[in-house]
């Protein structure tokens, strides 16, 4: 906790709702995380590809962790609050009470999670329309976005559908809980709902896919008041929410961000002077922020719109105001690694040995790889082993949710560069960025230097940057990014391994080609 000598320091609270837990941080104006807390949240999986949560459970966890990080801090020093969250769908009635998103009628389970793939047939029909809004999501909408989930709900849960008062993206639900204002963030509605910053909602799209009832009342159910990320919401923190969160009433609350975008905000604008990086003295359009957690997101910005086949966007001002965003990613990264490791027959033995060594299972595995690699680089252990990186479908650039299976990142970057992005440097954050082998492999395979943030919790720093901007203490998001984002370490690629990884990538592209051939053959049956 801060000392009396630091009485003039200004603090900002960032709250991050991930897939399995809620975290909060108290962050100062230099981007230093002063206090941090975390609490798990519940996930229901009633059937395959169905993942649900409770908005009440999530909000209770937000209150708990926020109270913890501000305990003992002078309330006058806390200037702003920012939220980020997974892009999950929250459903409430006209009185803002939770509505069931399941056939069991369990109303407390009112959140369809981002990774829920129940709407596979609906997204296929939506993409078959070839509507013009799809050009802003790489040409094909993802099952992880909201329109297919809305259509699934209308077709499968008519009783809940008739009672709906509001549909929220989870980040917007949190800012509503804090302020009582139903404004939506430009980030959420542009990236996951087909809103465009120049034309707004497109009536013809919703009517074409069978959701014409959302057009009524000027789109009140899905949002008709849109704010830029970091813009102050309403009159600040409402009295009831302030008491629940343990924060001062009336402090600034920012328009929110999707969690990956908050991670991008926390790292992509950092000052890189003195680190001998190719992006030094270059605009941030030469950088890609990679947020690596349960899934992974590859965030690149540009001055003008760039349409990348199979990659989401371009989205205007969805992360950094004034810049266009393209977002690639893999639907399962940390989740896939965890599944493979824990599902292996040797996992009980691994768990016991890791515990005996007082290390995490991944630290133990990395040291084991170092022991067996002999004189060759660790990547060479896979010379005859080729792993397809998709297990929960391919998010980009193949956009095929049926594909099952660290070259996926290179595939995404090359698609972005072929379309017009000029990428020289990767900025990594998220849980997997703590794994040195994961980081080094990304540098070696892509051939680009990797920058790690000084603060490991870059997503929370990004959320705090929103609160800092809303408070008025910084003139813009860009200024707050530059002053609160800090570089911790730079990992350079080992170019001696380039030929090996080029050959591995060649094999990967052959696998892509064969996947398509196999699909074509089976579709002809």
């Amino acid at each position: 906790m801060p000392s009396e000598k630091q009485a003039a320091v200004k603090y900002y609270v960032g709250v991050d709702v991930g897939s399995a837990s809620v975290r909060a941080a108290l962050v100062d104006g230099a981007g230093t995380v002063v206090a941090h807390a975390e609490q798990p949240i519940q996930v229901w999986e009633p059937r395959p590809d169905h993942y649900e949560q409770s908005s009440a459970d999530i909000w209770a966890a937000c209150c708990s962790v926020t109270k913890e990080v501000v305990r003992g801090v002078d309330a006058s020093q806390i200037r702003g609050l920012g939220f980020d969250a997974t892009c999950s769908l929250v459903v409430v009635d006209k009185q803002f009470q939770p509505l069931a998103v399941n056939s069991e009628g369990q109303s407390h389970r009112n959140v369809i999670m981002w990774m829920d793939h129940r709407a596979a047939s609906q997204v296929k029909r939506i993409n078959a329309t070839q509507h013009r809004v799809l050009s802003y999501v790489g040409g094909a909408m993802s099952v992880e976005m909201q329109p297919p989930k809305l259509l699934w709900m209308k077709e499968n849960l008519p009783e809940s559908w008739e009672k709906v008062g509001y549909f929220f993206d989870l980040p917007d639900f949190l800012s509503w809980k804090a302020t009582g204002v139903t404004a939506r963030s430009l980030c959420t509605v542009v990236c996951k709902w087909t809103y465009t910053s120049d034309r707004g909602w497109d009536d013809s799209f919703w009517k074409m896919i069978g959701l014409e009832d959302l057009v009524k009342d000027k789109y009140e159910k899905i949002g008709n008041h849109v704010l830029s990320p970091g813009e102050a919401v309403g009159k600040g923190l409402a009295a009831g929410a302030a008491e629940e969160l343990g924060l001062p009433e009336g402090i600034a609350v920012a328009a929110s961000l999707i969690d990956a975008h908050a991670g991008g905000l926390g790292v992509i604008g950092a000052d890189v002077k003195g680190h001998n990086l190719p992006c030094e003295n270059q605009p941030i359009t030469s950088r890609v922020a990679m947020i690596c957690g349960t899934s992974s997101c590859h965030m690149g910005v540009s001055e003008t719109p760039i349409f990348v086949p199979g990659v989401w966007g371009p989205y205007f001002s969805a992360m950094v105001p004034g810049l266009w965003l393209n977002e690639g990613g893999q639907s399962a990264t940390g989740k896939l690694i965890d599944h493979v490791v824990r599902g292996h027959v040797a996992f009980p033995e691994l768990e016991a040995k890791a515990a005996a060594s007082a290390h995490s299972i991944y630290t133990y595995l990395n040291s084991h790889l170092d022991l067996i690699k002999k004189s060759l680089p660790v990547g060479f252990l896979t010379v005859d082993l080729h792993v397809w990186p998709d297990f929960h479908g391919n998010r980009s650039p193949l956009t095929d949710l049926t594909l099952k299976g660290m070259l996926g990142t290179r595939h995404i970057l090359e698609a972005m560069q072929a379309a017009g992005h000029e990428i020289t440097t990767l900025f990594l954050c998220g849980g997997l960025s703590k794994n040195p082998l994961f980081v080094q492999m990304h540098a070696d395979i892509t051939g680009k230097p990797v920058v790690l943030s000084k603060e490991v919790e870059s997503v929370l720093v990004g959320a705090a940057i929103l609160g800092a901007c809303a408070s008025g203490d910084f003139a813009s998001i860009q200024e707050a990014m530059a002053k609160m984002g800090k570089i911790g370490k730079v990992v350079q690629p080992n170019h001696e391994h380039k030929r090996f990884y080029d050959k591995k990538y060649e094999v990967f592209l052959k696998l892509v080609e064969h996947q398509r051939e196999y699909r074509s053959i089976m579709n002809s049956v």
Side-chain angles (χ1 to χ4, degrees):
M1 286 295 99
S3 67
E4 291 183 3
K5 292 181 180 180
Q6 296 173 307
V9 175
K10 296 175 180 177
Y11 294 105
Y12 313 95
V13 175
V15 178
D16 164 57
V17 180
S19 300
S21 66
V22 174
R23 304 180 304 153
L26 185 69
V27 183
D28 68 19
T32 301
V33 175
V34 177
H36 170 266
E38 183 170 5
Q39 182 169 312
I41 49 178
Q42 191 163 356
V43 176
W44 287 269
E45 188 181 357
R47 61 191 69 180
D49 287 333
H50 287 230
Y51 295 92
E52 299 168 6
Q53 290 182 313
S54 159
S55 63
D57 177 47
I58 291 169
W59 180 251
C62 290
C63 296
S64 177
V65 293
T66 301
K67 280 182 176 178
E68 186 171 340
V69 298
V70 300
R71 187 175 292 122
V73 178
D74 185 342
S76 66
Q77 294 177 267
I78 302 172
R79 301 277 299 159
L81 170 65
F83 292 99
D84 73 77
T86 64
C87 50
S88 300
L89 177 67
V90 183
V91 185
V92 297
D93 66 17
K94 293 176 178 61
Q95 288 73 45
F96 296 96
Q97 296 304 304
L99 277 174
V101 296
N102 49 75
S103 57
E104 295 87 357
Q106 298 290 315
S107 60
H108 65 284
R109 288 159 39 197
N110 67 318
V111 180
I112 301 179
M113 289 187 71
W114 66 271
M115 61 185 181
D116 185 290
H117 280 199
R118 70 181 66 184
S121 67
Q122 285 78 13
V123 79
K124 186 176 181 180
R125 279 182 273 142
I126 290 172
N127 286 332
T129 67
Q130 298 185 327
H131 193 279
R132 60 177 174 264
V133 299
L134 300 179
S135 64
Y136 285 89
V137 289
M141 181 168 287
S142 167
V143 70
E144 297 172 11
M145 294 179 179
Q146 308 301 11
K149 293 173 182 174
L150 295 171
L151 186 56
W152 181 92
M153 189 170 174
K154 181 178 181 179
E155 294 176 346
N156 292 274
L157 301 174
E159 289 188 11
S160 286
W161 182 263
E162 288 302 318
K163 296 176 182 176
V164 169
Y166 303 90
F167 294 105
F168 288 102
D169 216 276
L170 182 53
D172 295 325
F173 171 81
L174 298 174
S175 61
W176 166 74
K177 284 290 289 184
T179 65
V181 176
T182 61
R184 308 309 205 272
S185 167
L186 189 63
C187 174
T188 60
V189 294
V190 165
C191 295
K192 305 300 176 184
W193 298 71
T194 74
Y195 188 92
T196 57
S197 52
D198 56 344
R199 292 196 303 268
W201 298 115
D202 190 316
D203 293 2
S204 66
F205 169 71
W206 298 101
K207 292 174 181 177
M208 183 178 286
I209 67 171
L211 292 176
E212 62 282 346
D213 33 349
L214 296 180
V215 180
K216 296 176 182 176
D217 300 319
K218 298 180 180 179
Y219 291 95
E220 184 180 13
K221 287 183 178 179
I222 61 174
N224 51 24
H225 179 202
V226 178
L227 301 174
S228 295
E231 191 173 346
V233 180
K235 296 179 180 179
L237 192 60
E243 184 176 352
E244 291 178 307
L245 291 163
L247 293 173
E249 180 182 348
I251 65 165
V253 177
S256 55
L257 280 172
I258 299 167
D259 53 351
H261 301 61
L265 207 65
V267 298
I268 202 170
D271 186 350
V272 299
K273 289 177 183 175
H275 290 272
N276 195 31
L277 287 164
C279 63
E280 186 173 348
N281 299 319
Q282 298 295 318
I284 64 171
T285 53
S286 64
R287 311 175 183 188
V288 159
M290 185 173 165
I291 297 83
C292 324
T294 304
S295 63
S296 65
C297 293
H298 304 69
M299 322 288 277
V301 292
S302 58
E303 296 280 355
T304 57
I306 298 175
F307 292 84
V308 186
V311 173
W312 298 342
Y315 301 135
F316 185 65
S317 290
M319 184 173 77
V320 181
L323 295 178
W324 294 84
L325 170 70
N326 281 110
E327 179 187 351
Q330 291 173 237
S331 295
T333 43
K335 185 89 170 173
L336 175 55
I337 294 170
D338 199 49
H339 173 80
V340 171
V341 170
R342 292 179 181 276
H344 196 279
V345 66
F347 179 70
E349 180 185 354
L350 165 66
E351 199 170 28
K353 288 184 175 179
S357 68
H359 289 118
S360 73
I361 58 173
Y362 293 107
T363 299
Y364 183 87
L365 278 176
N366 286 352
S367 63
H368 179 68
L369 289 172
D370 282 335
L371 287 175
I372 65 175
K373 71 180 183 179
K374 299 179 180 178
S375 60
L376 293 172
V378 68
F380 282 60
L381 290 171
T382 66
V383 66
D384 293 316
L385 178 65
H386 310 295
V387 180
W388 185 256
D390 300 308
F391 183 77
H392 200 50
N394 180 277
R395 184 184 291 172
S396 57
L398 302 177
T399 63
D400 188 337
L401 65 91
T402 67
L403 292 180
K404 310 292 184 187
M406 287 295 132
L407 295 165
T409 289
R410 179 165 169 177
H411 199 202
I412 293 164
L413 295 181
E414 290 197 357
M416 292 174 70
Q417 289 172 150
H421 282 276
E422 296 180 5
I423 300 163
T424 66
T425 313
L426 302 183
F427 287 68
L428 262 62
C429 67
L432 287 174
S433 69
K434 301 173 188 177
N435 187 318
L437 178 58
F438 181 88
V439 174
Q440 187 65 58
M441 295 293 278
H442 273 77
D444 291 350
I445 289 168
T446 64
K448 301 182 188 301
V450 172
V451 177
L452 299 177
S453 174
K454 182 178 180 181
E455 290 290 347
V456 176
E457 307 296 348
S458 297
V459 176
L460 283 167
V461 172
I465 285 173
L466 294 174
C469 189
S471 73
D473 291 341
F474 294 90
S476 65
I477 285 281
Q478 286 89 335
E479 181 189 348
M481 285 166 55
K483 291 186 177 179
M484 295 178 70
K486 295 287 187 294
I487 289 181
K489 182 179 180 182
V490 174
V491 177
Q492 294 289 348
N494 188 333
H495 295 293
E496 292 179 7
H497 306 157
K498 183 179 186 301
R499 186 172 182 275
F500 174 78
Y501 288 119
D502 284 349
K503 289 294 183 183
K504 288 288 289 184
Y505 188 61
E506 192 176 332
V507 171
F508 169 79
L509 293 177
K510 283 290 184 184
L511 288 173
V512 172
E513 184 182 326
H514 291 321
Q515 282 267 14
R516 287 172 170 159
E517 289 178 4
Y518 300 153
R519 185 62 48 78
S520 177
I521 292 169
M522 295 310 297
N523 285 342
S524 66
V525 174

